[in-house]
Amino acid sequence: PQPLAGELLHSIVEVLQPWLTWIVGFWAAGVLLCSLRPLVGWRTLQQLRRVGVSAPSDEVLEAFQRISTRLGVKRVVQVLNSTIAKGPLVVGYLRPVVLLPVSLATSIPMAQLEAILAHELAHIRRHDFVINLLQTMIETLFFYHPTVWWLSHRIRIEREHCCDDLVIKLFNNAPDYGRALLAVE
């Protein structure tokens, strides 16, 4: 069986050898194009962090600090209201910022807002930024493989579910959290 595998490998190399330059060129062009996506995303997130932001109310800051302590988040995390963000999100890893849309912060009950804040803090506690960075790198290098994109999509969904589960466990109030998620949508 071993010589047969060697012969097969040699045959494949012979067939691909004339096309190798084109294959590598296609791959390099794909990696270059796919590298633009995270760079543009990073720039957009940096703008979200700086433009249209303001300090939240003292009540929100107190709730944020209380939840941060309950979740055991030891890092310094800033929370800001945003006029641009369409939904709550975490920006950054070294100096994370939780951005809350102004309309959300003023339109839902505090219990629901606390659940949303807990969800975002769960992302920080779980170091999801690092996992997302690794995922993006794998997507960039293996852009041509549909299984990579499918698996990456599933991981993102499961990451959200993990944070949802943590919030439900923390507050023990799934219906209220469900209403908060509906308010975000």
Side-chain angles (χ1 to χ4, degrees), residues 72-121:
V73 176
K74 299 197 183 339
R75 304 175 66 193
V76 175
V77 182
Q78 188 178 12
V79 61
L80 295 171
N81 286 333
S82 173
T83 57
I84 300 173
K86 297 198 182 341
L89 70 145
V90 176
V91 178
Y93 180 71
L94 297 176
R95 291 174 294 147
V97 175
V98 173
L99 295 176
L100 285 176
V102 174
S103 60
L104 182 69
T106 58
S107 67
I108 64 173
M110 184 51 75
Q112 291 178 12
L113 186 60
E114 286 179 353
I116 297 299
L117 290 170
H119 177 94
E120 298 307 319
L121 282 166

Side-chain angles (χ1 to χ4, degrees), residues 108-164:
I108 64 173
M110 184 51 75
Q112 291 178 12
L113 186 60
E114 286 179 353
I116 297 299
L117 290 170
H119 177 94
E120 298 307 319
L121 282 166
H123 283 296
I124 294 168
R125 177 182 163 190
R126 292 172 25 87
H127 303 283
D128 283 345
F129 179 84
V130 176
I131 303 301
N132 196 46
L133 198 59
L134 181 63
Q135 264 182 265
T136 303
M137 188 173 66
I138 290 170
E139 288 170 354
T140 300
L141 293 174
F142 298 102
F143 67 91
Y144 55 87
H145 205 295
T147 303
V148 168
W149 290 99
W150 175 81
L151 185 59
S152 188
H153 175 72
R154 291 298 317 157
I155 289 170
R156 282 187 174 86
I157 290 170
E158 291 305 319
R159 191 166 47 226
E160 292 300 321
H161 289 172
C162 287
C163 291
D164 291 341

Side-chain angles (χ1 to χ4, degrees), residues 23-75:
I23 292 170
V24 171
F26 170 75
W27 178 80
V31 167
L32 184 65
L33 283 173
C34 288
S35 295
L36 294 176
R37 184 177 62 102
L39 290 174
V40 169
W42 176 80
R43 183 162 165 77
T44 302
L45 287 177
Q46 293 310 309
Q47 284 181 319
L48 275 174
R49 189 180 194 148
R50 291 189 192 103
V51 177
V53 295
S54 61
S57 68
D58 289 340
E59 186 181 21
V60 171
L61 286 173
E62 289 169 11
F64 188 74
Q65 188 58 46
R66 194 172 50 250
I67 295 162
S68 184
T69 303
R70 278 182 75 184
L71 279 172
V73 176
K74 299 197 183 339
R75 304 175 66 193

Side-chain angles (χ1 to χ4, degrees), residues 10-22:
H10 182 70
S11 298
I12 291 171
V13 168
E14 256 181 42
V15 170
L16 291 179
Q17 190 69 39
W19 298 97
L20 198 55
T21 304
W22 286 98

Side-chain angles (χ1 to χ4, degrees), residues 1-8:
Q2 193 67 7
L4 184 60
E7 288 176 28
L8 181 62

